[in-house]
Each structure stands twice: as structure tokens, then as C-alpha cells.
Amino acid sequence: MITVALVCSFAGEGLAQKKSFWKSVVAYLDSSNVKGVDPAYITQPDKPWAIVLNSNIDKLNLDVSTTDGNFTCEMQIKPPVSTSIGLWAGYRGYGAGYSLALSGNDGFSFSMNMVSPSYGINLRINRFSFKNPNASFSGTDGIISESGELTEDFLNMFLSRPMKIGSLAFDGYWVFNKKRFSLLAAYDQSTTQLRSAGSLIAGIMYYYQKLDYDNPRNFFFIKNAGNVGLMRVYQGSIGLGYTYNWVPARGLVFNVVAMPVLTLINKVKSSRYEIILPKDGEYDVMDVESYLAAITMRPDGEETLNGGVRLNLDLRMAASYCWRDWYVGATGQVHRFRSNNNNTTLKLTDWTVKAFIGMRL
């Protein structure tokens, strides 16, 4: 009987501690977003739970320009727009979701966003394959000038094996005026901005891009990219700017984050290859596939180009409207990168737009 009493006592004490722990967690979640804020500017919805249907649109454009003497080749890598639809559920802005690709690129996409009264963190990872670039050429041999578009049949051989593209984008913000300004109101709707307000904002950014097309069958593309078959882009920045929530009507908020950033890490690491074309007799002259299969290549060294310190602009925008237990909105961000590597210029534009509709429970 004493043993049973002790077991029941410990079980009751453990259950009480468990309940106390969850009460503490809930109390923290209920208060963390509005702790220390001015209630005339920021409040939070009465209902803590939310379920959100969202859709993402991602687009990447890459322009590669290579000049060899008087000859210039322009290549445009424009994969199809990638779209997805997903469902998210959470408590006071904390939760998880899952997205399903609808169209666009066959690959992998992952994103994570976390916003608090003091800071915001965004992480996006993409990986996919791409084929069929657009390309044009222009040049002169000193006597005759010519230019034109490369034919589709030639382009199929130009990038015969798909280019593998991977990217990682991370940015984080620190908000100084959390008493009267809330990023949450515009980006996850776990708080409500009642009056217009702004804040100084500090941030860090890191961007990584990998372009891999080091296959002998891509020898046309590699030759016109300065014999580069694998390229890695690194960019790290710090910045100080301003963000503002404009509230023209109750429930409606527009946000802009404009932050000049100083790029301290700005380099491109390139892997070069020597293309070894087949000799006569090693292939069937009437068979293009036989010719491509006979091409080989070998590594010819790596080169790291440091672009130096540059000044860029980090721009992010959002809009949302809340009424009763519903809210809708959209966010967008653009990342641009430019680099020169000897006779090759690379221009990259990567943007994403997210639209959502949510219901509070």
C-alpha cells in the first residue's frame, strides 16, 4: 500500500509538472509577441490558432556573356516559373507547413521563415535541372561582321546535358523599434499594426549559387563560357536601413524594407576544363550522337575571382489585409548578382513572390 501510494504520488506530481510546463509554454507564446509594446500601435488577435493556404512563385534568370577577341556570345538561362501550393498551421505565428510543386522545374525547394518582434529570419534552398537556353552571337573578323540567333537544333547540342542549378539564400533582420513597429503584422499576421510606424533595421545576408554543367556533351556551352564547366558564387553582406508599416485603414498594412548592404564576401570560384575533341576515324561522320559520345574532357585548374567590396540594396515588400477571422496578403523579394570573370560576365536575378489566405481559429 505504501508503494502504491508513492507511485500515485510521483505520477500525480509528474502530471502536474507536465501541465505546469505546457501552461508556461502557452503563456510565453501568448505574451512574447506583444511584451513591452505600445498597445496604441500594436495588438494581437484574440484567436491564437491559424491555418493558412499559400502559394509560391519563384523565377531565376541567368545571363552569361563571353567575349573572345572580336567574337561575343550571349546566353540566357531562363528556366520556367516554378509554382507551388501549400498548407501551414500554427499557434501565435509558430507552426509548420508543407508545399507541393504544381509546375515548373523538376527539383527540390525548401523555405523557412521566422519573425519575432525583434528579428526576422528567412532561408530558401532550391535545386533543379535546366536545359534549352537562349543564345545569340555577334562578331567580326576585321572584315565581315555577322550576328544572329542560334538554331534550336544547335542549342539542343549546345547544352546537351541539363545544367544543374542550386541556390541557398539566407537573410536576417534586427528591428530596433519593436515598441511601436511590428514585422509580424505584415509577414505572418500574428500581431496587428494599428497605426503607421517605422524602425531602423540592421541585417545580414548570405547567398550561394552553384551552376554545374561539366559534361563533355556540353562542350559548346563550356567553350563559350571561357572553358568553365562548374561555377560557384558566394556573396555575404551586412547592412543598415529602414522599414515602415503604412496603415491607411484598419486591418490594412503595407510594409517596405529598404536596406543598403555592404557586400564584404563577393567571389566566384570557377572550375575550368580542357575539351578533347575526337579525331577523324573515332566516330561516324554521319552520326552526331557518335561524335558527342567520343568527346572527353579533363580538369584544367580552378580560379577564384574576388569581386571586392560592393554596395547593393536589399528590398523586400509585403501587404496584408485582415477582417474578422480572415486575412490575405502577399510578400516579395528580389536578389541580384553581377560578376566579371576575365572575359565572362555573369548576371543573375532571383526573385520570389508568396501569396496567402488564412483563417484564425
Side-chain angles (χ1 to χ4, degrees):
M1 291 179 63
I2 293 174
T3 302
V4 171
L6 288 173
V7 169
C8 292
S9 175
F10 286 135
E13 183 179 349
L15 185 61
Q17 290 178 349
K18 186 175 181 180
K19 290 182 178 180
S20 177
F21 170 76
W22 284 113
K23 285 183 178 180
S24 299
V25 171
V26 171
Y28 171 79
L29 296 178
D30 285 340
S31 63
S32 61
N33 290 340
V34 290
K35 184 178 180 179
V37 305
D38 185 341
Y41 283 80
I42 300 171
T43 186
Q44 68 179 355
D46 294 331
K47 296 183 178 180
W49 290 96
I51 184 169
V52 181
L53 179 68
N54 55 61
S55 177
N56 278 61
I57 301 175
D58 298 285
K59 187 71 174 73
L60 180 144
N61 292 330
L62 173 65
D63 293 330
V64 181
S65 176
T66 302
T67 301
D68 185 4
N70 294 323
F71 181 81
T72 299
C73 182
E74 301 277 352
M75 295 176 287
Q76 295 85 39
I77 310 298
K78 296 182 178 181
V81 174
S82 178
T83 59
S84 64
I85 188 169
L87 198 64
W88 180 94
Y91 186 92
R92 295 295 186 200
Y94 296 89
Y98 178 79
S99 294
L100 179 67
L102 297 179
S103 62
N105 308 308
D106 181 18
F108 169 81
S109 179
F110 171 81
S111 63
M112 183 188 74
N113 310 95
M114 185 167 62
V115 184
S116 80
S118 301
Y119 64 85
I121 295 176
N122 305 285
L123 174 66
R124 187 159 55 95
I125 301 173
N126 291 315
R127 187 172 65 244
F128 59 92
S129 298
F130 172 73
K131 197 178 177 181
N132 302 325
N134 298 320
S136 62
F137 67 93
S138 63
T140 177
D141 59 5
I143 301 176
I144 300 176
S145 298
E146 58 180 340
S147 63
E149 300 289 329
L150 299 179
T151 65
E152 183 177 353
D153 290 339
F154 184 80
L155 286 174
N156 289 334
M157 194 165 52
F158 199 74
L159 193 60
S160 181
R161 287 296 181 268
M163 173 187 289
K164 290 173 283 187
I165 301 177
S167 67
L168 182 150
F170 170 85
D171 56 84
Y173 303 95
W174 183 265
V175 177
F176 291 95
N177 181 22
K178 66 176 185 179
K179 183 176 182 179
R180 295 184 175 180
F181 171 85
S182 175
L183 275 177
L184 301 167
Y187 290 93
D188 76 356
Q189 291 69 49
S190 58
T191 64
T192 302
Q193 187 83 42
L194 302 177
R195 297 182 181 180
S196 300
S199 173
L200 284 174
I201 189 169
I204 59 173
M205 296 179 61
Y206 179 77
Y207 188 82
Y208 169 78
Q209 182 85 43
K210 181 180 179 182
L211 310 171
D212 184 1
Y213 45 95
D214 60 348
N215 190 293
R217 291 174 176 261
N218 294 333
F219 77 99
F220 275 119
F221 194 98
I222 294 173
K223 293 291 288 185
N224 285 281
N227 288 337
V228 173
L230 176 63
M231 188 179 298
R232 296 181 178 91
V233 177
Y234 305 86
Q235 192 177 56
S237 310
I238 59 174
L240 181 67
Y242 195 77
T243 179
Y244 190 75
N245 278 346
W246 178 44
V247 184
R250 184 175 180 84
L252 180 63
V253 59
F254 295 93
N255 173 265
V256 175
V257 177
M259 183 169 61
V261 293
L262 196 63
T263 302
L264 303 177
I265 301 173
N266 184 25
K267 66 179 182 178
V268 179
K269 187 175 183 180
S270 303
S271 298
R272 298 185 182 277
Y273 295 87
E274 179 185 355
I275 305 297
I276 305 172
L277 300 178
K279 299 178 181 179
D280 293 340
E282 294 181 355
Y283 63 95
D284 184 353
V285 294
M286 302 300 294
D287 186 359
V288 174
E289 183 65 26
S290 175
Y291 179 82
L292 292 174
I295 298 172
T296 59
M297 67 182 194
R298 59 190 176 202
D300 193 27
E302 292 187 342
E303 179 184 22
T304 299
L305 177 68
N306 291 303
V309 177
R310 291 191 178 186
L311 184 64
N312 292 315
L313 178 67
D314 179 24
L315 184 64
R316 178 185 294 269
M317 303 180 71
S320 68
Y321 178 64
C322 305
W323 75 101
R324 296 181 181 176
D325 295 330
W326 292 86
Y327 57 88
V328 295
T331 65
Q333 186 177 26
V334 178
H335 183 90
R336 291 180 178 175
F337 178 85
R338 177 188 174 98
S339 177
N340 297 316
N341 188 353
N342 291 333
N343 59 345
T344 300
T345 300
L346 181 141
K347 300 176 184 178
L348 177 70
T349 302
D350 185 7
W351 58 262
T352 181
V353 174
K354 177 182 178 180
F356 55 86
I357 179 170
M359 180 179 66
R360 297 191 178 96
L361 304 172

PDB file of all heavy atoms in Angstrom, residues 157-172:
ATOM      1  N   MET A 157      22.249  20.694 -78.930  1.00  0.00           N
ATOM      2  CA  MET A 157      23.593  20.163 -78.813  1.00  0.00           C
ATOM      3  C   MET A 157      24.464  21.093 -77.963  1.00  0.00           C
ATOM      4  O   MET A 157      25.438  20.683 -77.351  1.00  0.00           O
ATOM      5  CB  MET A 157      24.204  19.997 -80.213  1.00  0.00           C
ATOM      6  CG  MET A 157      25.463  19.159 -80.260  1.00  0.00           C
ATOM      7  SD  MET A 157      25.877  18.650 -81.947  1.00  0.00           S
ATOM      8  CE  MET A 157      25.861  20.217 -82.812  1.00  0.00           C
ATOM      9  N   PHE A 158      24.078  22.372 -77.902  1.00  0.00           N
ATOM     10  CA  PHE A 158      24.813  23.397 -77.168  1.00  0.00           C
ATOM     11  C   PHE A 158      24.866  23.070 -75.674  1.00  0.00           C
ATOM     12  O   PHE A 158      25.894  23.191 -75.024  1.00  0.00           O
ATOM     13  CB  PHE A 158      24.125  24.739 -77.415  1.00  0.00           C
ATOM     14  CG  PHE A 158      24.974  25.939 -77.125  1.00  0.00           C
ATOM     15  CD1 PHE A 158      26.002  26.294 -77.980  1.00  0.00           C
ATOM     16  CD2 PHE A 158      24.726  26.720 -76.015  1.00  0.00           C
ATOM     17  CE1 PHE A 158      26.774  27.410 -77.725  1.00  0.00           C
ATOM     18  CE2 PHE A 158      25.500  27.840 -75.759  1.00  0.00           C
ATOM     19  CZ  PHE A 158      26.530  28.179 -76.625  1.00  0.00           C
ATOM     20  N   LEU A 159      23.708  22.670 -75.139  1.00  0.00           N
ATOM     21  CA  LEU A 159      23.610  22.233 -73.745  1.00  0.00           C
ATOM     22  C   LEU A 159      22.921  20.877 -73.761  1.00  0.00           C
ATOM     23  O   LEU A 159      21.781  20.719 -73.358  1.00  0.00           O
ATOM     24  CB  LEU A 159      22.830  23.255 -72.914  1.00  0.00           C
ATOM     25  CG  LEU A 159      22.890  23.106 -71.391  1.00  0.00           C
ATOM     26  CD1 LEU A 159      24.316  23.218 -70.875  1.00  0.00           C
ATOM     27  CD2 LEU A 159      22.023  24.157 -70.714  1.00  0.00           C
ATOM     28  N   SER A 160      23.667  19.889 -74.248  1.00  0.00           N
ATOM     29  CA  SER A 160      23.089  18.570 -74.496  1.00  0.00           C
ATOM     30  C   SER A 160      22.663  17.866 -73.216  1.00  0.00           C
ATOM     31  O   SER A 160      21.719  17.104 -73.203  1.00  0.00           O
ATOM     32  CB  SER A 160      24.108  17.702 -75.255  1.00  0.00           C
ATOM     33  OG  SER A 160      23.582  16.428 -75.527  1.00  0.00           O
ATOM     34  N   ARG A 161      23.384  18.113 -72.129  1.00  0.00           N
ATOM     35  CA  ARG A 161      23.021  17.562 -70.829  1.00  0.00           C
ATOM     36  C   ARG A 161      22.559  18.702 -69.916  1.00  0.00           C
ATOM     37  O   ARG A 161      23.149  19.769 -69.930  1.00  0.00           O
ATOM     38  CB  ARG A 161      24.213  16.837 -70.205  1.00  0.00           C
ATOM     39  CG  ARG A 161      24.520  15.505 -70.882  1.00  0.00           C
ATOM     40  CD  ARG A 161      23.353  14.529 -70.688  1.00  0.00           C
ATOM     41  NE  ARG A 161      23.619  13.233 -71.311  1.00  0.00           N
ATOM     42  CZ  ARG A 161      23.262  12.921 -72.547  1.00  0.00           C
ATOM     43  NH1 ARG A 161      22.639  13.809 -73.298  1.00  0.00           N
ATOM     44  NH2 ARG A 161      23.517  11.727 -73.041  1.00  0.00           N
ATOM     45  N   PRO A 162      21.495  18.492 -69.136  1.00  0.00           N
ATOM     46  CA  PRO A 162      20.925  19.586 -68.347  1.00  0.00           C
ATOM     47  C   PRO A 162      21.934  20.216 -67.399  1.00  0.00           C
ATOM     48  O   PRO A 162      22.790  19.540 -66.827  1.00  0.00           O
ATOM     49  CB  PRO A 162      19.793  18.902 -67.574  1.00  0.00           C
ATOM     50  CG  PRO A 162      19.454  17.685 -68.364  1.00  0.00           C
ATOM     51  CD  PRO A 162      20.741  17.234 -68.975  1.00  0.00           C
ATOM     52  N   MET A 163      21.819  21.522 -67.238  1.00  0.00           N
ATOM     53  CA  MET A 163      22.589  22.248 -66.236  1.00  0.00           C
ATOM     54  C   MET A 163      21.922  22.051 -64.879  1.00  0.00           C
ATOM     55  O   MET A 163      20.708  22.221 -64.744  1.00  0.00           O
ATOM     56  CB  MET A 163      22.632  23.741 -66.588  1.00  0.00           C
ATOM     57  CG  MET A 163      23.274  24.608 -65.511  1.00  0.00           C
ATOM     58  SD  MET A 163      23.126  26.375 -65.856  1.00  0.00           S
ATOM     59  CE  MET A 163      24.266  26.545 -67.222  1.00  0.00           C
ATOM     60  N   LYS A 164      22.712  21.707 -63.877  1.00  0.00           N
ATOM     61  CA  LYS A 164      22.193  21.542 -62.516  1.00  0.00           C
ATOM     62  C   LYS A 164      22.432  22.838 -61.742  1.00  0.00           C
ATOM     63  O   LYS A 164      23.566  23.303 -61.633  1.00  0.00           O
ATOM     64  CB  LYS A 164      22.873  20.365 -61.833  1.00  0.00           C
ATOM     65  CG  LYS A 164      22.464  19.014 -62.413  1.00  0.00           C
ATOM     66  CD  LYS A 164      23.271  17.873 -61.854  1.00  0.00           C
ATOM     67  CE  LYS A 164      24.655  17.829 -62.480  1.00  0.00           C
ATOM     68  NZ  LYS A 164      25.423  16.617 -62.071  1.00  0.00           N
ATOM     69  N   ILE A 165      21.360  23.421 -61.241  1.00  0.00           N
ATOM     70  CA  ILE A 165      21.417  24.713 -60.563  1.00  0.00           C
ATOM     71  C   ILE A 165      20.955  24.546 -59.118  1.00  0.00           C
ATOM     72  O   ILE A 165      19.901  23.974 -58.846  1.00  0.00           O
ATOM     73  CB  ILE A 165      20.529  25.752 -61.276  1.00  0.00           C
ATOM     74  CG1 ILE A 165      20.984  25.933 -62.731  1.00  0.00           C
ATOM     75  CG2 ILE A 165      20.549  27.088 -60.549  1.00  0.00           C
ATOM     76  CD1 ILE A 165      20.120  26.871 -63.529  1.00  0.00           C
ATOM     77  N   GLY A 166      21.767  25.033 -58.194  1.00  0.00           N
ATOM     78  CA  GLY A 166      21.402  25.009 -56.784  1.00  0.00           C
ATOM     79  C   GLY A 166      21.655  26.372 -56.156  1.00  0.00           C
ATOM     80  O   GLY A 166      22.598  27.071 -56.533  1.00  0.00           O
ATOM     81  N   SER A 167      20.819  26.770 -55.222  1.00  0.00           N
ATOM     82  CA  SER A 167      20.996  28.076 -54.579  1.00  0.00           C
ATOM     83  C   SER A 167      20.566  28.009 -53.123  1.00  0.00           C
ATOM     84  O   SER A 167      19.694  27.211 -52.745  1.00  0.00           O
ATOM     85  CB  SER A 167      20.203  29.167 -55.307  1.00  0.00           C
ATOM     86  OG  SER A 167      18.809  28.944 -55.176  1.00  0.00           O
ATOM     87  N   LEU A 168      21.208  28.830 -52.320  1.00  0.00           N
ATOM     88  CA  LEU A 168      20.846  28.992 -50.914  1.00  0.00           C
ATOM     89  C   LEU A 168      20.861  30.483 -50.605  1.00  0.00           C
ATOM     90  O   LEU A 168      21.854  31.170 -50.873  1.00  0.00           O
ATOM     91  CB  LEU A 168      21.831  28.252 -50.009  1.00  0.00           C
ATOM     92  CG  LEU A 168      21.552  28.293 -48.488  1.00  0.00           C
ATOM     93  CD1 LEU A 168      22.066  27.026 -47.819  1.00  0.00           C
ATOM     94  CD2 LEU A 168      22.197  29.519 -47.828  1.00  0.00           C
ATOM     95  N   ALA A 169      19.760  30.985 -50.088  1.00  0.00           N
ATOM     96  CA  ALA A 169      19.656  32.402 -49.733  1.00  0.00           C
ATOM     97  C   ALA A 169      19.222  32.516 -48.274  1.00  0.00           C
ATOM     98  O   ALA A 169      18.216  31.922 -47.861  1.00  0.00           O
ATOM     99  CB  ALA A 169      18.659  33.109 -50.641  1.00  0.00           C
ATOM    100  N   PHE A 170      19.991  33.259 -47.501  1.00  0.00           N
ATOM    101  CA  PHE A 170      19.681  33.472 -46.089  1.00  0.00           C
ATOM    102  C   PHE A 170      19.770  34.960 -45.780  1.00  0.00           C
ATOM    103  O   PHE A 170      20.709  35.636 -46.201  1.00  0.00           O
ATOM    104  CB  PHE A 170      20.668  32.712 -45.188  1.00  0.00           C
ATOM    105  CG  PHE A 170      20.553  33.090 -43.733  1.00  0.00           C
ATOM    106  CD1 PHE A 170      19.612  32.479 -42.928  1.00  0.00           C
ATOM    107  CD2 PHE A 170      21.368  34.066 -43.178  1.00  0.00           C
ATOM    108  CE1 PHE A 170      19.495  32.826 -41.588  1.00  0.00           C
ATOM    109  CE2 PHE A 170      21.264  34.425 -41.846  1.00  0.00           C
ATOM    110  CZ  PHE A 170      20.318  33.801 -41.047  1.00  0.00           C
ATOM    111  N   ASP A 171      18.797  35.476 -45.072  1.00  0.00           N
ATOM    112  CA  ASP A 171      18.902  36.854 -44.597  1.00  0.00           C
ATOM    113  C   ASP A 171      18.221  36.972 -43.241  1.00  0.00           C
ATOM    114  O   ASP A 171      17.250  36.285 -42.947  1.00  0.00           O
ATOM    115  CB  ASP A 171      18.309  37.860 -45.602  1.00  0.00           C
ATOM    116  CG  ASP A 171      16.876  37.558 -45.950  1.00  0.00           C
ATOM    117  OD1 ASP A 171      15.990  37.975 -45.196  1.00  0.00           O
ATOM    118  OD2 ASP A 171      16.632  36.909 -46.990  1.00  0.00           O
ATOM    119  N   GLY A 172      18.781  37.829 -42.411  1.00  0.00           N
ATOM    120  CA  GLY A 172      18.249  38.055 -41.087  1.00  0.00           C
ATOM    121  C   GLY A 172      18.191  39.540 -40.764  1.00  0.00           C
ATOM    122  O   GLY A 172      19.040  40.318 -41.234  1.00  0.00           O
TER     123      GLY A 172
END
